[in-house]
Amino acid sequence: MREEQWPVGASVTVDQLTESPYEVLASLRAVEPVSWVPATGAWFVTRRDCAIEAMKDTLRFTVDDERFTTARVLGTSMLSLDGPEHARHRQAFVKPFRPKLVREQVEARIVEHARRLMSATLESDQPELRAGVAGPLAVATILDVLGLPEVDADDVLRWYGAFGDAIVALTVGEDMPAEIGDRLASLYGHVGDAMASDDPSLVRQLVDDAVLRDDEIPAAVAVVMFGAIETSEGMTANAFWHLLSHPETLDRVRADRSLIAVAIDESLRLEPAAAVVDRYTTVDVELGGVSIPAGELVTISLLAANRDPEVFADPDRFDIDRPNLAQHVTWAVGPHTCLGLHVARAETRAALEAFLDAEAELGVQFVLVSESVGPRGLIFRKPESVFLGSGTHH
Ligand code: HEM
């Protein structure tokens, strides 16, 4: 019956949402801005005003539901709480992620990482910016922020892989993988060491502040670490991809670095690296004129909201002169607004600056190799690779 009431939603496939979602999202937004999508088993929200309404209203649209897999794998954290407990968990991290502290305490290290990774990547015969710069920059940065710089980057990727495997297993209805504890043991070992150490670090500060109980800290640290990896990699890779595939805009940025900020925001608008956020309804609700029963999964498409033509004229165009490009909802809105957004911005900015500096030093202007394919993905969206061609010499 739902299929008859929401025929566009009924026609949507996971493949479409993953590979080329723009047209189908536009049709949904135009005729079924809140729709039932059987392919994902969720209500699907594509209009910006409805998306914002749902994200702000945590009483009716919650993340605190035992069906969410993150909490089942890692334990309770701010990602799986609403209300006062969410505020307490988040409070513990607010200070180190404020823009002032990011600027004063981590930005210089981020710039150093970006320069090092960019020069190593550009030395290769076939430089590729996603695996060469965006990915390792995300890992190195979050280790610095947490105060775990001695941890091996490959270990972080192994932990993230273990976490991802467990999420997939639970999502397809399998039991929790028995070995997940073993696979994450060395992460929790490092966190435990930092908690006990006298060396200053964000992890040690969490113990001293005592906003979180000691037994809540490992999951909290894991959520912040994992929240920073794929997302920031995607954000930086998407920014490179947008600029390199719009050479006239890249030329303007080369000539005027003050345009980097708007270029980053316009890239964030067009391709939010985390394309959706999920909530469960706590009661029967009405959203965009549609009645949704209590206890159902609601997927909010940030990707669709960011291309709402009511707010963004000619929404599919990469246009850094848009007056309102910062009105995207890529960081979500409401109590769960991304905690790491200033760190993530500093990463992408440092990567772009390192690229432009390297071009100037080498006297070249790189181009995107012609067969490059743009961002793809159902939840996390990024290009498979961003290969650089040798470009022109100046
Ligand atoms: C240093 C990098 C990052 C860190 C440490 C980080 C951390 C976090 C944390 C801890 C939350 C949960 C906040 C809460 O529940 O109160 C969050 C939420 C979120 N983050 Fe980030 N994040 C980072 C980068 C990014 C990037 C690059 C994007 C997308 C471009 C992104 C998109 C989001 C979104 C959409 C949410 C809301 C999730 C929801 O409401 O369900 N994050 N982030």
Side-chain angles (χ1 to χ4, degrees), residues 54-68:
M55 285 189 278
K56 284 189 170 164
D57 186 352
T58 56
L59 280 178
R60 297 190 308 152
F61 297 89
T62 190
V63 296
D64 188 354
D65 189 291
E66 60 189 19
R67 284 166 286 184
F68 275 122

Side-chain angles (χ1 to χ4, degrees), residues 10 15 23 43-44 47 168 178 195 203 234 236 294 312 320 328 347:
D15 194 52
E23 273 178 38
W43 296 89
F44 205 79
R47 216 170 66 196
V168 169
M195 288 170 71
V203 174
T236 301
F312 303 104
I320 65 168
H328 61 73
E347 281 180 45

Side-chain angles (χ1 to χ4, degrees), residues 205-346:
Q205 194 63 45
L206 291 173
V207 177
D208 292 343
D209 291 347
V211 175
L212 296 178
R213 293 191 315 269
D214 283 3
D215 64 301
E216 292 172 325
I217 291 176
V221 170
V223 159
V224 171
M225 179 184 280
F226 293 158
I229 296 175
E230 219 176 337
T231 49
S232 316
E233 176 181 2
M235 172 177 172
T236 301
N238 290 342
F240 275 120
W241 191 81
H242 278 123
L243 280 171
L244 287 159
S245 51
H246 294 83
E248 67 302 338
T249 309
L250 179 53
D251 271 344
R252 287 177 57 198
V253 176
R254 282 181 179 122
D256 177 3
R257 301 252 184 129
S258 74
L259 294 174
I260 288 179
V262 283
I264 290 177
D265 264 306
E266 179 63 349
S267 173
L268 284 167
R269 183 189 71 82
L270 266 186
E271 284 293 354
V276 291
V277 300
D278 283 339
R279 301 289 186 259
Y280 280 96
T281 49
T282 55
V283 290
D284 293 353
V285 299
E286 189 155 311
L287 185 67
V290 171
S291 300
I292 305 177
E296 301 223 3
L297 179 59
V298 179
T299 295
I300 298 157
S301 172
L302 306 178
L303 178 60
N306 283 350
R307 292 178 184 231
D308 190 331
E310 282 291 312
V311 179
F312 303 104
D314 195 3
D316 298 327
R317 224 163 73 88
F318 180 71
D319 175 7
I320 65 168
D321 298 315
R322 256 175 220 291
N324 62 351
L325 47 76
Q327 286 178 22
H328 61 73
V329 291
T330 295
W331 307 117
V333 296
H336 293 280
T337 300
C338 179
L339 179 78
L341 70 97
H342 301 292
V343 175
R345 275 189 196 283

